[in-house]
């Protein structure tokens, strides 16, 4: 009878330990998922700002008598410039077709001649997509070719894009910092609660002469293992979210690349190991230094 009771008690204790570890692991995984989401938002905001800025362009209006070979030479010079991401040549015929599509009728039929001029549309690298840089680039472009008549760009649009990107980056940065602090605090509290339930065991081991490192080692090891498992759970959840968003928003895959995804996975894994390891270390130290009468509080 005593053996059966002892066996039943051991089963109940083992189940309690497993449930406690499972609860701790799932809690940590959800917090790490939140941390991964923070990283994803930060990287996405950065990538989105680059994506938006690199879609800012200006048009170089050329002399209508310039031949196509000279246009291509100028285009090659521009492609070699450090501020250029890409260029697109627009012939008089293409410009006429675009104008006809916008107006709904062909202006050449009304005027008797093609009123458009050839041009080159220039897309800038993100670091140069601002008002001051474009003003400097305008002077350089005009010095490249005598057939350049004008450089057209929307100064107000460029200013608005940069202001919006800057504001969005600031808001997301503050939000990311707040969520990061919350994430660390939640993981720390989860681990401290799990160690709190074993405070009497820690005290007993201390009283029989076990060293601090001997007592800490299994707690740190077990919680780091839980952190690694929780990291993989969080990564799986986040990959599912990224897959879903990329299916719903086609341009999302252009904003976030494989390198960014691998970086997010690495951040989650390192955070899972570091935060759980350090939290375990300091939590055990807390109960190692605690006096016996305070253990019952």
């Amino acid at each position: 009878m005593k053996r059966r009771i002892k066996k039943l008690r051991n089963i109940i204790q083992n189940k309690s330990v497993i449930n406690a570890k499972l609860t701790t692991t799932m809690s940590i995984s959800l917090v790490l998922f939140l941390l991964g989401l923070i990283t994803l938002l930060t990287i996405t905001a950065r990538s989105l700002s680059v994506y938006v800025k690199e879609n800012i362009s200006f048009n170089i209006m050329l002399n209508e008598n310039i031949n196509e070979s000279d246009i291509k030479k100028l285009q090659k010079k521009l492609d070699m410039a450090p501020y250029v991401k890409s260029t697109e040549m627009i012939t008089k015929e293409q410009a006429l077709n675009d104008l006809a599509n916008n107006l709904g009728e062909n202006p050449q039929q009304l005027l008797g001649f093609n009123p458009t001029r050839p041009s080159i549309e220039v897309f800038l690298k993100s670091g140069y997509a601002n008002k001051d840089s474009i003003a400097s680039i305008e002077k350089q472009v005009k010095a490249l070719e005598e057939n350049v008549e004008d450089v057209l760009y929307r100064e107000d649009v460029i200013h608005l894009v940069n202001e919006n990107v800057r504001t969005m980056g600031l808001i997301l940065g503050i939000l990311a910092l707040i969520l990061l602090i919350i994430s660390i605090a939640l993981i720390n509290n989860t681990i401290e609660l799990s160690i709190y339930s074993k405070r009497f065991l820690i005290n007993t081991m201390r009283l029989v002469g076990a060293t601090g490192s001997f007592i800490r080692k299994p707690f740190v090891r077990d919680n780091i293992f839980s952190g690694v498992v929780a990291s993989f759970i969080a990564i799986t959840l986040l990959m599912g979210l990224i897959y879903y968003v990329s299916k719903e928003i086609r341009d999302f895959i252009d904003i976030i690349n494989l390198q960014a995804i691998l970086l997010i996975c690495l951040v989650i894994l390192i955070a899972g190991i570091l935060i759980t390891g350090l939290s375990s270390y300091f939590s055990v130290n807390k109960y190692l230094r605690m006096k016996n009468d305070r253990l019952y509080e």
Side-chain angles (χ1 to χ4, degrees):
M1 185 70 177
K2 289 182 178 179
R3 287 182 179 178
R4 289 182 179 179
I5 293 172
K6 187 176 180 180
K7 187 177 180 181
L8 182 61
R9 185 176 62 188
N10 288 336
I11 292 171
I12 293 171
Q13 287 176 345
N14 288 335
K15 283 185 176 180
S16 298
V17 170
I18 292 171
N19 288 335
K21 286 186 177 180
L22 184 62
T23 302
T24 301
T25 302
M26 291 307 298
S27 299
I28 294 171
S29 65
L30 290 174
V31 178
L32 288 175
F33 171 73
L34 178 63
L35 187 61
L37 195 59
I38 297 166
T39 310
L40 176 63
L41 285 172
T42 305
I43 292 175
T44 302
R46 168 70 179 169
S47 300
L48 183 61
S49 68
V50 172
Y51 180 78
V52 170
K53 286 181 177 182
E54 289 187 346
N55 277 279
I56 292 176
S57 65
F58 64 87
N59 288 83
I60 302 172
M61 307 307 296
L62 303 170
N63 190 302
E64 62 179 355
N65 296 320
I66 188 173
N67 57 58
E68 193 170 324
S69 62
D70 287 336
I71 298 176
K72 287 182 178 179
K73 286 179 183 178
L74 176 58
Q75 190 176 10
K76 285 182 180 179
K77 289 180 183 178
L78 290 168
D79 287 334
M80 293 174 64
Y83 50 81
V84 173
K85 181 177 181 289
S86 63
T87 59
E88 182 181 348
M89 182 175 69
I90 302 171
T91 63
K92 290 186 67 173
E93 291 72 23
Q94 288 174 310
L96 179 65
N97 289 334
D98 292 339
L99 186 60
N101 290 331
N102 290 331
L103 296 175
E105 56 183 338
N106 193 332
Q108 188 172 12
Q109 294 177 352
L110 296 173
L111 301 173
F113 65 94
N114 185 349
T116 62
R117 287 179 293 171
S119 64
I120 298 175
E121 187 173 13
V122 179
F123 292 90
L124 297 168
K125 291 180 180 177
S126 60
Y128 296 91
N130 57 74
K131 185 177 64 174
D132 294 335
S133 294
I134 293 177
S136 175
I137 290 167
E138 181 182 1
K139 296 177 183 177
Q140 295 178 43
V141 169
K142 287 181 177 179
L144 281 176
E145 173 63 52
E146 60 181 10
N147 286 305
V148 174
E149 292 195 350
D150 202 0
V151 176
L152 303 179
Y153 60 92
R154 292 286 304 276
E155 187 176 324
D156 56 335
V157 172
I158 293 168
H159 177 72
L160 183 63
V161 167
N162 279 281
E163 283 297 314
N164 288 341
V165 166
R166 193 178 296 111
T167 303
M168 182 182 67
L170 180 62
I171 292 171
L172 284 177
I174 295 171
L175 181 63
L177 181 62
I178 293 170
L179 291 177
L180 178 62
I181 294 170
I182 292 172
S183 299
I184 294 172
L186 286 173
I187 292 177
N188 184 67
N189 288 340
T190 300
I191 291 174
E192 189 169 343
L193 283 172
S194 69
I195 294 175
Y196 173 80
S197 62
K198 299 180 181 66
R199 65 193 186 282
F200 292 110
L201 175 61
I202 293 171
N203 185 55
T204 301
M205 293 172 72
R206 181 170 61 87
L207 291 175
V208 297
T211 62
S213 60
F214 179 84
I215 297 170
R216 278 192 301 267
K217 189 176 179 180
F219 287 99
V220 173
R221 184 189 61 234
D222 290 349
N223 281 300
I224 285 178
F225 177 75
S226 296
V228 171
V229 173
S231 297
F232 283 108
I233 294 172
I235 288 169
T236 303
L237 292 173
L238 197 62
M239 291 305 103
L241 177 65
I242 290 173
Y243 177 78
Y244 174 77
V245 173
S246 64
K247 286 290 183 183
E248 294 295 318
I249 306 172
R250 291 182 181 180
D251 290 338
F252 182 75
I253 203 67
D254 295 326
I255 297 171
I256 186 166
N257 52 34
L258 180 61
Q259 187 178 1
I261 292 172
L262 290 175
L263 177 61
I264 293 168
C265 294
L266 187 63
V267 166
I268 292 174
L269 183 59
I270 292 173
I273 294 170
L274 281 179
I275 298 174
T276 52
L278 291 172
S279 296
S280 303
Y281 181 88
F282 290 115
S283 294
V284 173
N285 278 354
K286 175 183 175 181
Y287 294 108
L288 283 174
R289 294 192 299 266
M290 190 173 286
K291 294 181 180 179
N292 293 342
D293 55 343
R294 292 195 62 194
L295 293 173
Y296 296 91
E297 294 179 357

